[in-house]
Amino acid sequence: MSPIFVAIDTISMDQALTWARAVGPYVGGLKLGLEFFANNGPHGVHEVGRAAEKPIFLDVKLHDIPNTVAAAVRALCPLEFAYITIHASGGEEMMRAAAEAAEEGAEIYGVAPPKLLGVTVLTSLDATDMLAVGQDPDVGTQVGRLASLAKESGLDGVVCAAPEITQLRTVTGPDFVLMVPGIRPAGWGEDDQKRTVTPEQAMALGASHLVIGRPITQADDPGEAAAAIARSLGVEAA
Ligand code: C5P
């Protein structure tokens, strides 16, 4: 199974379907985020998954009281997505409720249970921001703490930046999903990402999945860009 998830960052249904069809044969799945969900809703998610014939990673970063997050996870289950994000800072009870809801929703709707991924510390926050919201300004410490809590609370993995992979593999063991954005193939610029790594480097560090957006979607030929990255990882047939 290819580790590549393509970030379909658009509000346009037509654009999303075009990218989904182009890259579908070469990747492991597609990531749809809040901007797409806000404009196209659950129906849009379902359509894009069908067009790509690949698993969907629904990156909606849920964060609320346990009952509400659980209800949202259950309500989304009929979409048959493979992964969904929730904020680990929502706490153990919230994460446990979400994990139970994923199992319940899968049972109710007759689908495979989605895997839950924790969001630890947003990469847009630095030490000053962390202090301002009353959290540990040592971002690495806070990331490790939240990843451990996510694992203890029944989550399947976390989203993390490449520089965090080595530490988190030690903390979480070999089977935890580490879904890693900020990936740039050699020769592609950094865009607004800082401290990027190549797909090969991220896998060598211990990533299990890679989130790659613009190097594929903004390429002249997104299908070929996805195929080239897949070849560089030795996963030609997704
Ligand atoms: O285009 P690019 O490859 O930079 O897209 C990366 C995707 O991963 C985007 O959807 C972005 O929101 C997401 N992401 C990220 N950095 C994080 C978490 C998520 O770039 N720390």
Side-chain angles (χ1 to χ4, degrees), residues 1-4 23-29 52-55 223-224 226-238:
M1 176 60 146
S2 167
I4 303 167
V23 306
Y26 310 108
V27 301
E53 298 179 350
K54 283 292 151 80
E224 175 46 32
I229 295 172
R231 280 195 299 273
S232 77
L233 294 173
V235 288
E236 209 155 332

Side-chain angles (χ1 to χ4, degrees), residues 80-111:
E80 287 200 80
F81 53 92
Y83 297 93
I84 187 167
T85 40
I86 65 176
H87 274 280
S89 53
E92 177 169 356
E93 200 190 326
M94 187 199 81
M95 289 190 276
R96 285 198 187 282
E100 274 168 34
E103 297 291 334
E104 288 163 11
E107 177 95 27
I108 294 166
Y109 298 106
V111 299

Side-chain angles (χ1 to χ4, degrees), residues 5-9 31-33 35 57 59 61 119 121-124 159-161 164 179-185 188 190-193 196 211-218:
F5 273 67
V6 181
I8 304 292
D9 289 327
K31 180 176 93 78
L32 292 171
E35 64 182 286
F57 165 17
D59 187 15
K61 298 187 175 67
V119 173
V121 178
L122 295 171
T123 45
S124 50
V159 179
C160 75
E164 298 162 357
M179 180 79 78
V180 181
I183 306 292
R184 292 291 176 267
W188 187 274
E190 294 216 326
D191 301 309
D192 54 355
Q193 296 280 13
T196 60
V211 173
I212 308 177
R214 286 162 288 180
I216 292 175
T217 57
Q218 303 307 311

